[in-house]
Amino acid sequence: MERTMNDVEFEDITESEEDQRWARIIAFGRKCSNLVPHMKQIYNWDCGLTCAAMLLRRKLPNIGHKDLTERLESSSVWSIDLAYVLQSFGLDVSYWTTTTGIHPDYVALDFYNRVLDDDRERVERKFREARRHGVRVHNQSMRAQVLEAQIEENKMLAIVLVNCHVLRCLECDRTDSSRQESSSSVPCKQFSGHYVVICGYDPQTEVFVIKDPSSNRCKVD
C-alpha cells in the first residue's frame, strides 16, 4: 500500500514525541536517583530491609544490612518491623495500611503461611505499641493522587509493598536483556510481594522513579 505524505508526517511526529518523552524520563530519573543511594538485597527475604537501608544511607552513608538486622526481632520482616527500624534511627515515620495486624488473605500464601504462627504475636504487639514508640500508623489506604503529590513536592520518600507481577519497568521494556534480567529476579519469581523505594514522580509523563533492591534503578509507569 502506498503511503501518503500525511502518513509519513504523522509517524515522524509520533516518533519525535515518544523520543522527547523518553528523554524527559531519563533526565528526571537521573535527577531523582541522586536522592537515594542504590543498594541491592542480599537474600530473597530482605528487600524491605534493603529499602530501609537506602533511605538511611542519605544521613548515614556507611550503614549496612548488619546495622539494621541487629535491630530486628526476627528475619521474617513485616512492614511494621521496617517502620520500627526506621524510627529507631530517628526518621519521621508514617505507616499507611488497610490492616493493622496480619491480613487474613496471607494465610493462603506459602511464603507467609510458613511464618504466621511465629510472627503473629510480635506483629500485633508492635501495632498496639506503635504510638508509644513514635510510629504513626494510619489505618487506611493512601489515594494515588495523594502519594503522587507528596512525592512530586519532595515532602516524603516512600517504601511501598507492591505486587511484583504487575510492576512495570520502562527501562526493562526497551531492551530484551534488561527485560530478561528483571523477569528473572529472585523476589519476582518466588513472591507476589516486593518492597521498592519511590523517590520521584513526574506528572507530565506520569512516571514514578523507584529504587528496586532486586535489580538496577528503574523508571516505572
Side-chain angles (χ1 to χ4, degrees):
M1 180 182 296
E2 183 178 354
R3 295 193 301 172
T4 66
M5 182 60 69
N6 287 337
D7 292 332
V8 175
E9 289 176 352
F10 179 77
E11 290 176 2
D12 289 343
I13 292 173
T14 302
E15 182 178 358
S16 176
E17 289 177 348
E18 179 59 26
D19 288 344
Q20 291 176 10
R21 179 177 184 270
W22 182 247
R24 178 181 174 87
I25 290 173
I26 291 294
F28 183 75
R30 288 174 178 170
K31 175 183 176 182
C32 293
S33 291
N34 293 330
L35 295 174
V36 180
H38 187 70
M39 295 177 64
K40 290 198 69 172
Q41 63 191 89
I42 299 175
Y43 309 105
N44 64 359
W45 55 265
D46 67 336
C47 54
L49 204 64
T50 306
C51 287
M54 285 192 235
L55 295 188
L56 288 168
R57 277 199 172 180
R58 300 181 71 220
K59 57 182 289 188
L60 301 169
N62 296 321
I63 200 166
H65 288 79
K66 183 179 179 181
D67 301 300
L68 276 66
T69 55
E70 290 175 347
R71 304 195 181 202
L72 293 173
E73 298 180 37
S74 170
S75 61
S76 175
V77 182
W78 295 71
S79 298
I80 190 67
D81 294 315
L82 298 178
Y84 270 66
V85 168
L86 289 170
Q87 196 283 330
S88 72
F89 282 97
L91 268 63
D92 184 18
V93 179
S94 290
Y95 174 29
W96 295 70
T97 178
T98 56
T99 305
T100 55
I102 293 178
H103 198 289
D105 290 348
Y106 286 173
V107 176
L109 301 177
D110 290 340
F111 172 71
Y112 293 103
N113 191 34
R114 294 195 300 268
V115 298
L116 281 182
D117 290 340
D118 294 333
D119 292 351
R120 188 181 303 277
E121 188 280 330
R122 183 188 83 253
V123 171
E124 293 179 350
R125 168 174 50 82
K126 285 192 170 183
F127 272 105
R128 291 194 306 269
E129 300 176 355
R131 179 177 296 182
R132 181 159 59 87
H133 288 273
V135 176
R136 296 190 301 276
V137 176
H138 303 271
N139 187 199
Q140 62 186 96
S141 61
M142 177 181 284
R143 292 186 297 113
Q145 295 88 341
V146 174
L147 177 62
E148 292 165 1
Q150 294 288 314
I151 296 292
E152 179 191 354
E153 297 170 10
N154 295 321
K155 292 183 178 180
M156 71 175 187
L157 299 171
I159 297 176
V160 295
L161 182 63
V162 299
N163 182 351
C164 64
H165 297 303
V166 298
L167 189 66
R168 180 186 173 208
C169 169
L170 295 184
E171 283 187 335
C172 302
D173 285 349
R174 289 183 68 85
T175 62
D176 291 338
S177 59
S178 294
R179 187 182 303 116
Q180 183 177 2
E181 176 186 353
S182 176
S183 63
S184 64
S185 62
V186 172
C188 290
K189 288 184 72 68
Q190 293 188 355
F191 316 126
S192 59
H194 183 53
Y195 289 99
V196 298
V197 175
I198 299 180
C199 52
Y201 175 74
D202 179 24
Q204 183 171 327
T205 57
E206 297 184 327
V207 164
F208 282 107
V209 178
I210 70 168
K211 292 297 182 77
D212 182 352
S214 73
S215 61
N216 295 322
R217 292 171 290 184
C218 297
K219 287 80 185 172
V220 177
D221 197 350

